[in-house]
């Protein structure tokens, strides 16, 4: 992958933002181009392809959580639509303050 998103492992179903990706940006995915519906902060994830409710979220080739709802390709993947496999999910303000209301 090139541009603002990085594929960390070939089995991952998410891509990680290497920089802030603005709302409206067109992103080329394997399933075709998608337009971001919201700003994606640095180090946040988007769905690499459609993810069904209950699917494991894979990052670094390892499960990090479970989708709590269906997530379309290119959508923001964060505490509002996944449950952590490691710790209870808490809505914390990001360092940039942009996505503080994501889980609200």
């Amino acid at each position: 992958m090139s541009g603002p998103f990085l594929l960390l492992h070939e089995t991952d179903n998410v891509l990680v933002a290497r920089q802030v990706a603005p709302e409206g940006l067109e992103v080329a995915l394997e399933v075709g181009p998608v337009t971001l519906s919201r700003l994606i902060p640095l180090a946040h994830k988007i769905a690499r392809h459609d993810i069904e409710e209950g699917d494991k979220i894979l990052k670094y080739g390892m499960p990090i959580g479970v989708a709590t709802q269906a997530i379309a390709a290119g959508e923001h993947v964060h505490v509002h639509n996944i449950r952590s496999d490691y710790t209870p999910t808490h809505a914390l303000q990001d360092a940039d303050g942009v996505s503080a209301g994501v889980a609200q």
Side-chain angles (χ1 to χ4, degrees), residues 17 19-21 39-44 76 78 92-102:
Q19 60 193 55
V20 173
L39 179 143
I40 307 297
L42 172 68
H44 280 233
H76 191 200
H78 200 51
L92 300 176
Q93 183 169 338
D94 293 318
D96 62 6
V98 174
S99 61
V102 166

Side-chain angles (χ1 to χ4, degrees), residues 9-28:
H9 189 275
E10 63 187 27
T11 63
D12 290 354
N13 55 7
V14 295
L15 302 173
V16 179
R18 303 178 336 159
Q19 60 193 55
V20 173
E23 177 181 347
L25 178 70
E26 187 172 281
V27 179

Side-chain angles (χ1 to χ4, degrees), residues 49-62:
H49 50 72
D50 291 345
I51 299 171
E52 298 299 321
E53 181 177 349
D55 284 355
K56 289 287 186 180
I57 304 300
L58 301 175
K59 181 179 175 186
Y60 296 109
M62 301 298 292

